[in-house]
Every structure is written in structure tokens, then in C-alpha cells.
Amino acid sequence: MSPLTVVWVANRETALNDTSGVLKLTDQGLVLLVNGTSNSTVWSSTLSSKAENPVAQLVVSGNLVVKDGHNGEHFLWQSFDFLGDTLLPGTKIGWDPVTGLERTMTSSKSADDPGHGDFIFRIDPRGYPQAVLTNGTAIMVRVGPWNGLMFSGATIYLRYSKLLPSDYDFIEKELICKLQPLHTYSFIRSVVTPWGGVQLLHWSRQTSSWETLLSLPEGECDKYSHCGANSFCRVTPAPICTCLEGFVPKYPRKWKDLYWSDGCVRITPLSCSKDGFKKHSGLVLPDTSSSWHNKTMNLQECEDLCRKNCSCTAYSNMDVRRGGSGCLLWFHDLIDMRQGGQDLYIRLPMSEPDDESNKKKLVGMIAGSILFFMSMMFGLVLCLWRKKLEEPEIFWWKQRAHKREKDDMDLPMFDLSTIVYATNYFSSDNKLGEGGFGSVYKGALENGTEIAVKRLSIDSEQGLDEFKNEVQLIAKLQHRNLVKLLGCCIQQKEKLLIYELMPNRSLDTFIFDDSRRKLLDWAKRFQIIGGTARGLVYLHQDSRLRVIHRDLKTSNILLDKDMNAKISDFGLARTFAGDQTEARTKRVMGTYGYISPEYAVRGSFSTKSDVFAFGVIVLEIVSGRKNREFCVPHQSLNLLGHVSDTK
């Protein structure tokens, strides 16, 4: 070649400043570089065993070797064990489990100075070994573990896989690289650059120059953990960093400002026995330095093992060839994922992952219906079923948003990460209460506004109806004695309602508590009764819609900092037309003890139903006793019966 290319330098740190250098081979088999002027040794090889008739040879691969003249196949020393910044075909890189020798590539200080630079390309032996480029001890680029075909992180390599057949063997903790060019007269090499990159080059006879086949990092996503934990990086569309399903940004404000390195955290904690797995396709597997691996297990055995270990967060195949084999398990946060070509199964709470068993049951039901029904009838049912299935919740939301725009209503949509951060990831310490449709958490937005977040239970079908109903109604209702809805959130299967925070929580926490009820003098109790009544009159008479609450009770009367009453929870509420006074339902819903007799017996409800519940609340406020739990010796009457009987 012209010009000649330097691929190995013995005395990287000690330069010879003149032409007096002498290369010697001693009787013991040591290769020496000597300063001819001072006769001092500039560099020396090492020797693992005594040589009787040592011979030094530069072999065709570019390997400088010392061998015993009586055993020409056994190398006493070789330059391939002490790499510089260049990797040639046939070179080993990694750990030798027998000798303990680690073979690494180290960058030069500059193009003109072959001294040891800052960047090292090596095989990280921790967990399942993987190729990494480090700056000191910090990982800069993770080329990934070997997946049977390639280093999984070097996805660009697929473009040239036909030009560069490869053969890598993983033996214990040693990775043997046998990279061979397609033609014997071709030349290839890999280089760690002084500026912190890894390049794969081949010699072009047409241009008489080295041309780059592969260069890492190629983009932002190639930088190690660019998006932080539990997220993945993709080139398009922007933004390039995205949290995995079931996760939200750890610091939403930084995330919005495109600072992603803090990564993402779980929305819902894992519960071990009730967890499932979500399949993610087309990924570069996460950092394997803390992983566990087994070559002989299949994917099902891998899943079973991960499911039994509560600390296991994800699993995947080791080898992608022939349908996949081997098992990889992760036990902590998932680091440094980006677009690639492998499947990863991530542990999530059972309500979040795809339920494969339900899918199989669904297929069975469809198959059974084909045998059971006439083809025309089945086609009609299938058409309606698909229409319902394909109507996503977001479509409903857009319809409601469009309708609110027509009505000049403005209900803000909150980002899930904002709410998760505001409630300290739905911490149990922030939980205000829990009902049939989910839990309520207190929190604070970044501007200091205190909020109460109603988190609808993901498993509750009835809760979804409640959510829609509450949004439709409360967005149109504005009154000082109704709780104010600040906004909502529909994201990642979460359905959240964000209200103003009521510092004194609900009425029942006062009147049914022996110590706290003393804080309510008669003036405050009368104030609460009056406020509840004004809110009820607004719902029944003064609002644009005549609203029947249907679940009025002390726990749904919230108290602000001045102990003003505010009616909340409109999940069961119904609206009446202008001339409508009564309606019926086959499904009686509400809270026993507050349900009117005609509603409980006949399913008939009207404004009188709410007035009945209001009367129960008044009696409970006055007496400090619960209607259903009221008990007098030798009587079987509740509070209402007792009051009626004492007249």
C-alpha cells in the first residue's frame, strides 16, 4: 500500500528521536528495542516460558511473534496480545480465562502521537460480556453483546454484513474475533480514534485509500444511556427519547427541556405474583453488565424463571439465530436501549402488559361463534364488534373536546409525567382515600398549585363510564359549592381527573370522628348544610343542565380551608331534559343508607332522590352518627327510623 499504514507501535510512550534504534532478539526470546546511541532499552517484550532456539517473525496477518525453533506452532510471545489502536483480522479481544490477560484497544493521543490516549475499546466481562468504548471507566459507546450474528448495538453493520463475513466465538469470558474480508486480496481493520470513536475501514484499490464502512457513534442514540433508564432512543420521529410503556419521565420539566439523562420511572410498582410481560420488538438489548445468562434455556423457560424471581425486570434470547435460543435476565433498571432488531419482554403490572392468554381466549370465542351462528349473522356481529374494538378512547376524547369547543368550554389536558411527578409517583403517603372506582392522591404542580388527583382503576369497566360521565358533567358546571375540575389526563391507559385540593378533605372525616367533630360548632355545621343545599339547588334548578347526583353522601361533601362545602364525585350523575322530572333504571347504583326508597325498590330517581340523601346528611351532621351504623338497644331501626319513631 502507499502510503504505508501503521497498525502497531511497540514503544508508544517512549519515542526514539533519531535513527539509531536497533531491534534485537535475545537468546532468552525477548524482543528489545534499543537506543543505539545510549545503548539503553527503550522497549522490551515479555516472556512466559524459556525458549531454547527463539525465532522472531512478522507473519502475514501482521502479527509479530516469537516462537521456539523446535515448535514453530507455539508462540512464546505475540504482538496481537498487546494491541494498540488497531484490530486486524484474526486478533483476539477480551479476557483470556486461562492467563488472565485482557486484550484491549487503546486510542492514540493524536494522529501524530501514538501514545496511549483516553479511549479504550474492550469486552466488559460483567454479567453477559459486551463490547464497550470507554473514556477511563465511563462508558461512551456500548456496541453491545454478541447475538449470534453481530454485536447487537452495531446495527449499521447490517448494511455491510455481506461484504464482511464474521466469525465470533464466545468462550467463557473471551471473545475471539475472526473478522475476515470477502476476498483474500482485500484489507480491513478496526481503529479506536483519538477523538473517541470506533471505525471499521477497508482498503479501496480504486481510490487507493482507506474507506469507512462503520463508524460509532453515528448519532445521538449511539451515545451510552443518552435517554437514561427505562427509555429508548429512536432517530425519528422527534423527540428521540421515549419512555417505555408503563413508565414516565423522572423529572418532567427536564424532559420537556430535552434533558433526558435522568430517564424514566415506573407509574405503578411491581407486585411480583400479579405481574405480566410486555413484548417490545426492534430494540438493542439493554446494558447486560448486571444481567444473568444461560445458553441452553429456551424462551419459555426464560420467562418462567423471570416470573418466579420478583427482582427480574426483563428477559430475552441470547442468540437470535434459528428462532432464538439462550436466556438473558435483567434485575434492575433497563439502560441504553435504542432501535435495533431484537425482542425484549419487560415486566409490568398485570393491568399494563398485553395479556396473551386473553387474546387466545378471544380467538377461541370467535372460532366458536363461526360454528354456532349463521355466516350472515356472524358477519353482522363481527362488524359491530370490530367497530367497537377499533374505536379508541382517544377518539372519544377528541369528540368530547370538539363538543366542548363548540360550547366554549376549556378543560386543560395534563401530561401524565406532570401528574406522576406532582404526586411523587402516586406515593402511598400522598393517598387521600380510595373508593370503588379508584384512589385519590394529593399533589402539587410546579407552579405551587395544590391538586387532588382521582386515579381511575384500570381494571374497572364501570370506572371508565364514571370517568366519561364526570368529565362531561363537571366541565359544564361552575358553582362555588361544587368542587372545581382543573383538567384531566388520558395517557398510557391511565385516566386521571385533576381537582382543586380541599385541605380539610371530606365531611365524614369530621362528623364521624370523636375528636374532630368537636371542631365543628353549630355555626360551622349550619354553614356546611347551607352550602350543600345551595350546590344542590344549582344542580337541580339553576345550571344549564338539570343534574341528578345519585350518590350524595358525607364522603362526597368536601371542605375547603374555610370549611365551605363543595359537592364532588359526579360519576353516577344523570342529566334531565328541561321538562323531564323522573327516570327509571334497572341498575340501582349509589350508597345504601342514602338511597331513597323509590329508587331502591323501583329504580325510579329524580331530584327527590338527592333531596332524600340531603336529608340523611343533615341528620348525620346534627347527630354525628351514621345512618346505617346507628343502633339503639332492643331496636332494629337505623337513624332515619329512630328519628321518625321519636316524633
Side-chain angles (χ1 to χ4, degrees):
M1 301 176 189
S2 180
L4 292 175
T5 302
V6 177
V7 296
W8 187 77
V9 178
N11 55 319
R12 297 184 68 178
E13 298 297 334
T14 309
L16 279 170
N17 298 319
D18 52 35
T19 60
S20 66
V22 178
L23 185 65
K24 292 183 178 182
L25 176 64
T26 69
D27 293 337
Q28 291 77 29
L30 292 175
V31 180
L32 304 178
L33 183 60
V34 179
N35 188 324
T37 303
S38 62
N39 202 31
S40 61
T41 301
V42 176
W43 169 85
S44 173
S45 65
T46 58
L47 194 62
S48 58
S49 60
K50 186 177 180 181
E52 295 183 5
N53 186 23
V55 175
Q57 182 181 3
L58 180 61
V59 297
V60 69
S61 64
N63 190 10
L64 177 62
V65 304
V66 176
K67 55 186 180 180
D68 195 309
H70 299 295
N71 184 6
E73 299 300 323
H74 176 61
F75 294 162
L76 302 174
W77 177 91
Q78 59 177 337
S79 62
F80 273 10
D81 284 341
F82 305 93
L83 302 176
D85 63 354
T86 302
L87 188 72
L88 296 176
T91 310
K92 296 180 180 181
I93 183 170
W95 291 84
D96 187 327
V98 178
T99 64
L101 175 68
E102 182 185 12
R103 303 179 184 92
T104 64
M105 296 166 60
T106 306
S107 67
S108 297
K109 290 183 178 179
S110 69
D112 301 322
D113 186 349
H116 289 85
D118 297 326
F119 302 98
I120 301 174
F121 186 74
R122 59 189 294 263
I123 303 298
D124 185 350
R126 298 174 300 169
Y128 182 51
Q130 56 186 352
V132 296
L133 177 68
T134 64
N135 183 353
T137 58
I139 298 177
M140 306 301 293
V141 176
R142 188 179 64 93
V143 189
W146 185 252
N147 64 12
L149 295 175
M150 54 176 284
F151 284 116
S152 61
T155 53
I156 188 176
Y157 178 78
L158 290 175
R159 304 177 194 172
Y160 308 102
S161 58
K162 293 182 179 180
L163 297 176
L164 295 165
S166 302
D167 183 12
Y168 286 81
D169 291 327
F170 173 59
I171 304 174
E172 296 295 331
K173 293 184 177 180
E174 181 180 39
L175 194 66
I176 300 175
C177 168
K178 296 179 181 177
L179 188 63
Q180 300 295 345
L182 187 61
H183 305 290
T184 56
Y185 57 82
S186 299
F187 299 99
I188 59 173
R189 62 188 176 106
S190 182
V191 178
V192 179
T193 65
W195 52 88
V198 180
Q199 293 181 334
L200 183 63
L201 309 166
H202 83 106
W203 179 260
S204 172
R205 296 182 181 273
Q206 287 74 26
T207 63
S208 295
S209 63
W210 289 99
E211 294 184 351
T212 303
L213 291 179
L214 180 152
S215 181
L216 294 174
E218 187 182 32
E220 293 294 303
C221 287
D222 289 325
K223 296 178 180 178
Y224 179 74
S225 192
H226 185 65
C227 295
N230 306 313
S231 62
F232 66 93
C233 190
R234 55 187 179 185
V235 178
T236 57
I240 62 175
C241 292
T242 303
C243 288
L244 295 167
E245 183 176 332
F247 296 80
V248 292
K250 185 175 183 179
Y251 299 113
R253 177 180 289 180
K254 290 184 178 180
W255 195 271
K256 290 178 180 178
D257 292 336
L258 308 185
Y259 292 102
W260 300 299
S261 59
D262 292 309
C264 306
V265 293
R266 291 187 181 276
I267 300 173
T268 305
L270 296 174
S271 57
C272 195
S273 61
K274 296 182 179 180
D275 296 335
F277 294 92
K278 170 74 175 180
K279 179 180 178 181
H280 290 262
S281 300
L283 290 178
V284 172
L285 296 183
D287 188 335
T288 58
S289 60
S290 298
S291 66
W292 178 90
H293 62 277
N294 181 288
K295 292 183 181 181
T296 61
M297 297 176 67
N298 59 38
L299 193 62
Q300 184 58 55
E301 292 171 331
C302 194
E303 177 185 345
D304 295 341
L305 185 61
C306 186
R307 191 181 297 276
K308 292 176 183 178
N309 190 322
C310 298
S311 300
C312 182
T313 54
Y315 71 92
S316 181
N317 277 137
M318 285 173 58
D319 196 322
V320 299
R321 295 173 296 180
R322 298 181 295 277
S325 63
C327 176
L328 266 173
L329 301 183
W330 286 263
F331 300 93
H332 303 286
D333 287 334
L334 305 175
I335 307 294
D336 192 40
M337 287 180 288
R338 54 194 186 278
Q339 286 177 318
Q342 291 187 241
D343 295 334
L344 179 68
Y345 298 83
I346 299 176
R347 193 181 204 120
L348 291 174
M350 184 59 75
S351 56
E352 296 179 13
D354 293 333
D355 192 340
E356 296 295 335
S357 61
N358 286 342
K359 291 182 179 179
K360 293 179 181 178
K361 291 179 183 178
L362 186 59
V363 172
M365 292 174 61
I366 296 175
S369 60
I370 293 176
L371 299 174
F372 240 61
F373 297 101
M374 297 170 58
S375 58
M376 185 176 293
M377 179 65 71
F378 171 72
L380 177 61
V381 173
L382 182 62
C383 179
L384 294 174
W385 176 73
R386 284 181 175 175
K387 182 178 180 181
K388 180 179 180 181
L389 189 64
E390 292 173 358
E391 182 181 51
E393 313 231 346
I394 192 65
F395 177 71
W396 167 85
W397 181 252
K398 288 181 178 179
Q399 284 184 319
R400 295 308 312 164
H402 181 65
K403 191 173 187 303
R404 286 198 303 275
E405 288 175 1
K406 286 185 176 181
D407 296 338
D408 294 325
M409 298 303 298
D410 182 20
L411 187 61
M413 291 285 289
F414 283 84
D415 187 78
L416 177 60
S417 61
T418 300
I419 303 305
V420 171
Y421 185 71
T423 59
N424 194 21
Y425 312 105
F426 296 113
S427 167
S428 58
D429 295 336
N430 285 35
K431 182 180 285 191
L432 296 174
E434 188 169 1
F437 299 128
S439 304
V440 180
Y441 298 85
K442 68 178 179 180
L445 300 177
E446 292 180 346
N447 61 7
T449 302
E450 293 186 312
I451 58 173
V453 180
K454 184 176 181 181
R455 188 186 193 190
L456 197 66
S457 172
I458 299 177
D459 298 325
S460 174
E461 295 180 2
Q462 185 181 12
L464 175 59
D465 296 333
E466 181 228 26
F467 180 87
K468 295 178 180 179
N469 194 64
E470 192 154 2
V471 170
Q472 293 174 26
L473 284 177
I474 200 73
K476 296 178 174 65
L477 301 176
Q478 298 292 329
H479 190 270
R480 65 190 303 175
N481 292 111
L482 301 183
V483 68
K484 183 179 180 181
L485 181 66
L486 301 178
C488 61
C489 172
I490 302 179
Q491 192 175 339
Q492 292 196 22
K493 299 183 181 180
E494 292 282 352
K495 301 169 186 67
L496 310 174
L497 292 170
I498 296 89
Y499 291 97
E500 60 178 338
L501 181 67
M502 296 290 104
N504 286 311
R505 303 177 71 171
S506 56
L507 176 60
D508 62 322
T509 62
F510 278 89
I511 60 175
F512 301 139
D513 185 273
D514 291 337
S515 59
R516 299 191 75 194
R517 74 161 60 102
K518 298 176 182 178
L519 301 175
L520 295 180
D521 57 23
W522 291 114
K524 281 189 173 66
R525 297 188 191 208
F526 184 77
Q527 172 186 324
I528 293 170
I529 293 172
T532 305
R534 285 191 296 272
L536 207 55
V537 169
Y538 170 78
L539 294 175
H540 292 173
Q541 297 182 9
D542 299 335
S543 66
R544 289 189 296 170
L545 301 171
R546 178 173 293 177
V547 180
I548 313 301
H549 190 282
R550 293 207 306 167
D551 196 22
L552 202 64
K553 55 186 176 181
T554 53
S555 60
N556 284 339
I557 306 299
L558 304 184
L559 304 174
D560 66 10
K561 60 182 179 61
D562 298 319
M563 301 300 287
N564 294 311
K566 295 183 183 266
I567 301 174
S568 70
D569 201 339
F570 289 81
L572 301 182
R574 292 293 181 268
T575 58
F576 279 3
D579 56 349
Q580 186 179 5
T581 60
E582 187 176 2
R584 288 176 179 263
T585 180
K586 294 181 180 180
R587 188 179 183 185
V588 177
M589 301 179 69
T591 303
Y592 288 106
Y594 299 91
I595 298 177
S596 62
E598 69 274 11
Y599 183 33
V601 176
R602 302 192 306 272
S604 175
F605 63 91
S606 64
T607 56
K608 296 178 182 179
S609 306
D610 286 348
V611 173
F612 179 89
F614 173 72
V616 175
I617 292 173
V618 171
L619 289 177
E620 290 182 334
I621 292 175
V622 172
S623 66
R625 310 290 291 275
K626 292 184 180 180
N627 180 29
R628 293 194 66 196
E629 298 181 6
F630 181 83
C631 180
V632 177
H634 310 298
Q635 291 185 4
S636 58
L637 300 174
N638 59 14
L639 179 61
L640 293 183
H642 177 72
V643 171
S644 177
D645 190 57
T646 55
K647 289 182 179 179

